[in-house]
């Protein structure tokens, strides 16, 4: 019998499924250093509370698992005609980088079907994610200095669905 929460299966025990509440606490306690820095720059809440807020605001929200272990969360927070796209993960995402990169293009296409304009802000020191966003075709459209709680620098990024 197939798990109703599993939406996609890949090689090496990798699946994407609907997010479950225990995923949030598990991933929040193991976040990549850059993701934790980004959360702390935008919220006074503990990482699990800040991450839970993103999950609650998202429709949809998904968990990336490897052999049942949650290693990443991603979602879309709908706002009228646009969507705030986000992703947070553990260092274990790097262990599945080839599958992750290939699958992320497919998931981006799916999210663009839900909202044809996706955007968010990313901490300037989160260089790996900035590289990934550019690889996915996102554009950095502005630099926000003195942004967030601690007045740090963030970049605003956007991707608009190609209708051609």
């Amino acid at each position: 019998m197939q798990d109703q929460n599993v939406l996609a299966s890949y090689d090496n025990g990798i699946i994407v499924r609907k997010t479950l509440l225990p995923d949030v606490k598990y991933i929040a306690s193991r976040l990549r250093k850059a993701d934790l820095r980004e959360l702390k720059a935008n919220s006074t809440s503990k990482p699990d509370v800040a991450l839970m807020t993103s999950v609650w605001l998202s429709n949809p929200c998904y968990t990336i698992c490897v052999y049942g272990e949650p290693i990443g969360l991603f979602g879309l927070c709908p706002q009228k005609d646009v969507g705030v796209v986000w992703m947070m993960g553990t260092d274990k995402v790097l262990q599945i980088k080839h599958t992750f990169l290939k699958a992320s293009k497919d998931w981006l296409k799916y999210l663009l079907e839900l909202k044809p304009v996706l955007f968010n802000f990313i901490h300037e020191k989160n260089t790996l994610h900035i590289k990934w966003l550019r690889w996915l075709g996102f554009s950095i459209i502005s630099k926000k200095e003195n942004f967030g709680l601690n007045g740090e620098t963030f970049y605003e990024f956007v991707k608009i669905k190609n209708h051609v």
Side-chain angles (χ1 to χ4, degrees):
M1 185 169 179
Q2 186 174 346
D3 184 343
Q4 295 290 334
N5 289 320
V6 175
L7 297 152
S9 296
Y10 304 93
D11 293 336
N12 301 319
I14 302 165
I15 64 164
V16 175
R17 63 166 167 75
K18 294 178 185 176
T19 297
L20 305 173
L21 292 181
D23 300 343
V24 178
K25 191 167 203 109
Y26 187 85
I27 290 173
S29 67
R30 294 162 176 82
L31 280 174
R32 286 179 55 237
K33 188 176 180 180
D35 289 344
L36 186 58
R37 180 188 314 118
E38 197 166 291
L39 274 182
K40 287 182 176 180
N42 283 309
S43 177
T44 57
S45 300
K46 291 181 180 179
D48 59 334
V49 174
L51 202 50
M52 183 60 76
T53 300
S54 293
V55 169
W56 282 333
L57 294 173
S58 294
N59 185 18
C61 188
Y62 301 118
T63 301
I64 304 163
C65 296
V66 178
Y67 294 112
E69 179 185 359
I71 64 165
L73 298 170
F74 66 99
L76 176 71
C77 301
Q79 295 184 350
K80 294 189 181 186
D81 297 332
V82 301
V84 179
V85 65
W86 63 274
M87 193 250 174
M88 293 274 161
T90 71
D91 287 324
K92 289 192 176 183
V93 171
L94 294 175
Q95 295 174 4
I96 63 160
K97 64 182 174 184
H98 297 295
T99 302
F100 175 81
L101 290 172
K102 184 178 182 313
S104 62
K105 286 203 173 199
D106 294 333
W107 284 100
L108 177 59
K109 286 178 191 173
Y110 169 71
L111 295 175
L112 283 166
E113 291 298 320
L114 301 176
K115 293 292 180 182
V117 177
L118 303 176
F119 80 99
N120 205 336
F121 297 86
I122 190 163
H123 195 278
E124 71 172 340
K125 292 181 180 174
N126 200 341
T127 55
L128 183 62
H129 277 177
I130 292 169
K131 184 177 177 181
W132 172 61
L133 289 168
R134 286 190 168 133
W135 181 79
L136 286 171
F138 281 88
S139 298
I140 304 292
I141 60 170
S142 67
K143 182 177 183 178
K144 305 289 184 187
E145 295 182 21
N146 201 24
F147 188 82
L149 299 174
N150 304 319
E152 298 180 45
T153 301
F154 278 71
Y155 296 113
E156 183 177 14
F157 62 89
V158 69
K159 172 96 173 146
I160 299 171
K161 180 180 176 184
N162 185 353
H163 292 285
V164 179

